[in-house]
Amino acid sequence: MVYVSVLIGVVTMVIRAFIIAAAFGSPMKHIDISKYNIPYFIGKRAMLSITCHKEMEKPLLAALACTRRAEFKHKKKMLINYAGCYVHRRIHGSKKWSNHRWGLAIDLNVTQPVSKLTNNQHPALVKCFKDQGFTWGGDWKNKDYMHFEYDIRS
């Protein structure tokens, strides 16, 4: 009986991995990861290029253009720093792959220390990203205010 439970658990994990790989691509392949130019200044330095999933390029550029317009409108710098997009890692404290692994997430306005997250996202920035199909970690039960991820299935 125990062996049947273990077998069902293993089969369930394999099926879940196939579903995720079909939706996002295999976590072991990098065919959907692209490096592209970003015409944006973050803090005092230009963000010249970023490595993300190729399907995220247009929505990310559109969200950044919207953020730039909002900065001029509100006369306030909204994007101070970022902590990258494609990062080969698992979710902190979990065995699940992070959406950063597929290049489908970006962390913006990272606070230090990261363990003491505070919401420092301007509502206009959040709206710009949501309007382009991003999900914001600040809306989650377990808040992750710096995290924005893109669902390529939408």
Side-chain angles (χ1 to χ4, degrees):
M1 191 61 97
V2 172
Y3 295 113
V4 172
S5 295
V6 170
L7 181 61
I8 290 171
V10 169
V11 169
T12 301
M13 287 178 10
V14 169
I15 290 171
R16 185 178 298 137
F18 277 109
I19 291 170
I20 290 171
F24 298 119
S26 169
M28 298 307 175
K29 294 182 181 177
H30 298 96
I31 58 173
D32 294 327
I33 301 296
S34 297
K35 187 172 189 174
Y36 41 86
N37 293 327
I38 302 287
Y40 203 90
F41 280 86
I42 296 180
K44 294 182 179 180
R45 69 182 178 101
M47 180 203 276
L48 300 175
S49 67
I50 192 166
T51 304
C52 293
H53 193 285
K54 65 184 177 183
E55 295 294 323
M56 197 168 116
E57 180 178 6
K58 287 181 183 177
L60 179 60
L61 290 174
L64 289 172
C66 174
T67 301
R68 174 59 80 197
R69 290 189 301 274
E71 287 178 332
F72 284 118
K73 179 181 176 183
H74 295 279
K75 296 181 173 79
K76 178 176 170 101
K77 188 73 176 159
M78 295 179 193
L79 194 49
I80 308 304
N81 62 33
Y82 78 105
C85 182
Y86 171 76
V87 181
H88 182 88
R89 68 174 179 84
R90 299 190 188 272
I91 296 171
H92 181 72
S94 170
K95 293 184 179 183
K96 295 179 183 177
W97 286 110
S98 164
N99 279 336
H100 287 282
R101 173 58 188 93
W102 284 274
L104 291 167
I106 187 167
D107 291 334
L108 303 174
N109 297 328
V110 180
T111 57
Q112 298 295 329
V114 175
S115 61
K116 296 188 178 189
L117 293 176
T118 57
N119 182 7
N120 62 345
Q121 304 296 3
H122 193 283
L125 179 142
V126 173
K127 182 178 181 340
C128 286
F129 276 81
K130 284 183 171 183
D131 287 351
Q132 294 302 319
F134 286 83
T135 301
W136 180 43
D139 290 333
W140 300 343
K141 180 181 177 184
N142 295 322
K143 306 291 187 204
D144 188 354
Y145 294 111
M146 66 181 169
H147 187 85
F148 293 83
E149 62 183 54
Y150 185 71
D151 186 349
I152 61 175
R153 297 169 293 180
S154 58

